[in-house]
Amino acid sequence: MTLRLYHGYRPLVRAVLVGAEYEENLAVRYLAAALRQAGHEAVIVAFDRAADLHAVAAAILDAAPDLVGLSIAFQHRAREFLELAAALRAGGYRGHVCAGGHVPTAAWRELLASAPAVDTVVRHDGEATLVELCAALGEPARWPTIPGVCARDAAGAPAAAPARRQLDELDALPFPVRDKPHALHAGVPFTTLSGSRGCFADCNYCCINTWHRTALGKRFRSRSPANIAEEMARLYHERGVRIFCFHDDNFFLPSPPKTRRRLAALQRELDARGVGTVAYVAKCRPDELDAALLTEARAMGFLRLYVGVENGSAAGLRNLNRLHDLATTRGALQLLRDAGVYACYNVLLFEPDTTLADIAENIAFIAENADFPFNFGRTEIYAGTKYERMLAAAGRLRGTFLGYTYRIADDEAEVMFRLCAVAFQVRNFSDAALANQNSGLGYEAAVLRHFCPGPRADELAARAAALSRAISDDTITHLRAAHDFVARGAWRDARAAQDFTADLATRINLRNLELGATLEELKLAIRAHGLARRLHAGATAAGSPGQGNAHAALRPRPA
């Protein structure tokens, strides 16, 4: 890994921004754009795995930047990023190290008290704060006075400057840096996008809610349709992007008619800029949908929606403070079926106050909606959230801001969690979890049908739906077995519990091999057909007088 920090001019400050880049990291890329606009150099370095720590540290040390910015968005990886900072110091780095993201924003005191390798924390939206910090790198006494910055005072104690008001007009921000090849989904160029910042909800577990609730300014801000369309048009015409994944927490507004008007405005702006057929991926809450909205969204090209189901029991929804009921959730899933929009969801099957009866209700809900791919897990506790405060006050929280844990109040529910954490580890919680791959398979099939419609695409999509259902049904079968084992009290025999868990894990993993092989075969068939259709269409367009178009093959064509 080699970093190059000079591009024909002497920047005011040379900065390296480090973050996870499983997809394009918009948080880091917005920061890089703000720094470059201010005359600084900004290079983005991906730090995706703990195993990459030494290579990343060596590259940064070799580049010797003035500032290293650590984007700590995931609490479970916070320790790795702080270890990177320590490795830089051990390697002789004497420049400035700052940290931003959810974890530093919510736990700045703890971080500065326990991580001497970090000089400052940038809280909340960092574009303006980081630019101002760069202007004061050589003046440590100024750091604790810059709005939005946390640093150590003269006595070495963590201290926070006044909060910086978050920017109301997001259109004023430069577009995020795009400096690497875009990912391909079913062979179609894909990128991430952000049309707004903030969330209307108040869920007990959510770190995003924490971020915006503790910031100064509006909790929700949106870009104008014209501004979003301009960024999309550049990506479409200059980089060939055809799939746009909106990472907004509230791309769909609480009022469906308002969302429809916003989508219509966006489409008008895209048409004015010559943007042709594209596809969208977005998130939504169950209470944000109606039939008219989904009909229009599907016609625009919305192929995949992540639905915020979160729990399939009435008690669980109350415990999580989700503010919608099961009837609304069921209605939303039926609306998605009727509109033909591919959807998937996660279930927080294990939350701090769940019971075995609540888990049974969740399993029944999943079985009722097994035509949608899903994953399940435990509600994790993030710094600054309501759950952190609630469990700490009750004496149930263990660990530190680098990683919290807790015991479920109901003993039987806790036992089932521990059993499932082992038995379903490969299928649901590993890096290559079959549950997540299942969600991606149906999405790729939807992409194929959108861009390359025809009988073969329909056939592959039908096979993907059947396989998805088989994976869901298999998971439901094993969840029921685990629930029944606990419900009949057999877990009280430690040896029986150990044997049952090992046997269940073995059965699940054997099915993983079988189902996973089928999934990989089908995924390759989808990608191969899409590539062949687009290559053929592209060659046809290139050979037609006046029809040369490098991206012609990415438009839907009749079978």
Side-chain angles (χ1 to χ4, degrees):
M1 182 183 296
T2 301
L3 303 184
R4 297 180 180 178
L5 290 176
Y6 291 100
H7 295 283
Y9 71 100
R10 173 66 185 183
L12 298 173
V13 167
R14 297 170 299 151
V16 169
L17 304 180
V18 185
E21 278 260 308
Y22 311 121
E23 294 178 338
E24 288 177 306
N25 187 324
L26 291 178
V28 169
R29 291 176 175 277
Y30 268 109
L31 293 173
L35 288 174
R36 293 182 185 182
Q37 185 181 64
H40 306 300
E41 180 104 65
V43 173
I44 298 168
V45 174
F47 181 28
D48 293 340
R49 304 176 304 152
D52 296 334
L53 188 150
H54 295 296
V56 171
I60 294 171
L61 289 170
D62 183 63
D66 303 303
L67 176 140
V68 175
L70 305 177
S71 176
I72 310 179
F74 304 114
Q75 189 156 309
H76 73 278
R77 295 199 62 207
R79 190 181 304 275
E80 296 167 16
F81 277 78
L82 297 183
E83 288 173 353
L84 173 62
L88 292 174
R89 297 303 189 198
Y93 181 67
R94 296 294 177 262
H96 191 96
V97 177
C98 67
H102 156 249
V103 178
T105 292
W108 61 269
R109 291 183 183 87
E110 296 91 335
L111 190 152
L112 289 173
S114 61
V118 176
D119 296 302
T120 58
V121 162
V122 172
R123 300 186 74 200
H124 299 111
D125 289 2
E127 288 88 356
T129 304
L130 188 59
V131 168
E132 191 170 337
L133 177 62
C134 283
L137 286 188
E139 304 173 69
R142 284 182 55 193
W143 301 343
T145 70
I146 299 172
V149 168
C150 301
R152 299 177 184 86
D153 61 20
R164 181 183 298 273
R165 182 178 179 83
Q166 298 196 117
L167 184 67
D168 288 342
E169 299 298 329
L170 297 182
D171 287 6
L173 293 171
F175 294 152
V177 168
R178 309 281 188 173
D179 57 2
K180 72 174 189 179
H182 292 291
L184 298 178
H185 289 188
V188 181
F190 164 99
T191 196
T192 56
L193 208 66
S194 176
S196 64
R197 295 183 182 183
C199 184
F200 303 108
D202 202 24
C203 304
N204 288 339
Y205 57 89
C206 185
C207 62
I208 297 162
N209 162 46
T210 297
W211 174 285
H212 297 287
R213 174 174 48 81
T214 58
L216 183 62
K218 298 179 181 178
R219 282 189 59 176
F220 178 78
R221 299 153 291 151
S222 60
R223 298 166 60 188
S224 69
N227 185 253
I228 297 170
E230 182 61 29
E231 183 182 6
M232 290 178 63
R234 294 185 189 183
L235 292 165
Y236 178 93
H237 292 297
E238 298 172 10
R239 299 180 65 86
V241 173
R242 295 296 183 270
I243 306 175
F244 296 90
C245 176
F246 280 89
H247 276 320
D248 306 39
D249 295 289
N250 288 107
F251 184 85
F252 285 76
L253 303 173
S255 165
K258 288 183 179 179
T259 304
R260 290 170 59 194
R261 289 194 291 271
R262 183 164 169 78
L263 291 181
L266 176 60
Q267 187 62 61
R268 287 194 298 271
E269 297 289 349
L270 292 171
D271 290 343
R273 290 164 174 80
V275 174
T277 300
V278 296
Y280 300 88
V281 176
K283 306 172 188 175
C284 67
R285 291 172 56 92
D287 52 0
E288 295 171 341
L289 306 177
D290 69 12
L293 170 58
L294 286 176
T295 297
E296 293 186 16
R298 182 66 187 89
M300 276 185 69
F302 279 80
L303 297 187
R304 179 183 192 175
L305 290 179
Y306 297 91
V307 187
V309 169
E310 309 305 348
N311 206 276
S313 79
L317 289 175
R318 290 193 300 271
N319 292 342
L320 299 171
N321 200 34
R322 285 295 290 168
L323 303 182
H324 65 264
D325 57 21
L326 280 175
T328 301
T329 303
R330 289 189 171 97
L333 293 179
Q334 187 58 50
L335 287 170
L336 288 159
R337 287 189 188 96
D338 294 343
V341 177
Y342 180 75
C344 52
Y345 66 90
N346 291 331
V347 171
L348 297 174
L349 187 62
F350 304 102
E351 39 90 3
D353 296 301
T354 194
T355 66
L356 206 60
D358 297 332
I359 293 171
E361 191 176 351
N362 268 290
I363 295 172
F365 173 88
I366 293 168
E368 174 189 333
N369 297 285
D371 50 324
F372 293 97
F374 70 95
N375 203 342
F376 70 86
R378 184 177 76 157
T379 302
E380 298 305 323
I381 309 303
Y382 300 118
T385 59
K386 290 185 177 181
Y387 259 147
E388 181 198 36
R389 298 196 302 275
M390 292 163 59
L391 294 181
R396 296 173 59 189
L397 189 66
R398 300 197 298 274
T400 72
F401 76 100
L402 295 177
Y404 290 119
T405 191
Y406 61 92
R407 182 182 177 87
I408 297 173
D410 181 84
D411 286 342
E412 291 182 323
E414 173 69 16
V415 168
M416 185 166 171
F417 162 68
R418 296 187 182 192
L419 188 159
C420 288
V422 174
F424 287 90
Q425 198 281 326
V426 174
R427 174 170 294 190
N428 292 74
F429 314 126
S430 66
D431 290 340
L434 181 64
N436 294 336
Q437 293 185 60
N438 183 28
S439 173
L441 176 68
Y443 159 64
E444 291 207 47
V447 170
L448 185 68
R449 295 184 74 187
H450 184 71
F451 288 103
C452 302
R456 176 62 171 163
D458 292 342
E459 175 209 341
L460 291 169
R463 288 172 56 190
L467 178 59
S468 176
R469 180 61 186 252
I471 292 171
S472 294
D473 287 344
D474 191 68
T475 294
I476 292 163
T477 295
H478 295 308
L479 276 174
R480 284 174 170 159
H483 180 273
D484 291 347
F485 176 82
V486 176
R488 67 174 184 267
W491 62 273
R492 298 182 187 281
D493 182 328
R495 181 58 183 270
Q498 182 179 0
D499 289 347
F500 175 83
T501 303
D503 178 67
L504 186 63
T506 299
R507 286 188 280 123
I508 292 172
N509 291 339
L510 287 173
R511 284 291 282 161
N512 284 346
L513 294 175
E514 177 184 350
L515 294 167
T518 304
L519 185 146
E520 285 299 319
E521 178 184 355
L522 186 51
K523 186 190 301 181
L524 289 174
I526 289 171
R527 293 175 180 177
H529 179 64
L531 179 61
R533 282 289 303 273
R534 286 187 293 276
L535 287 176
H536 173 73
T540 301
S544 302
Q547 298 297 315
N549 187 335
H551 307 301
L554 298 177
R555 298 172 181 161
R557 293 181 178 274

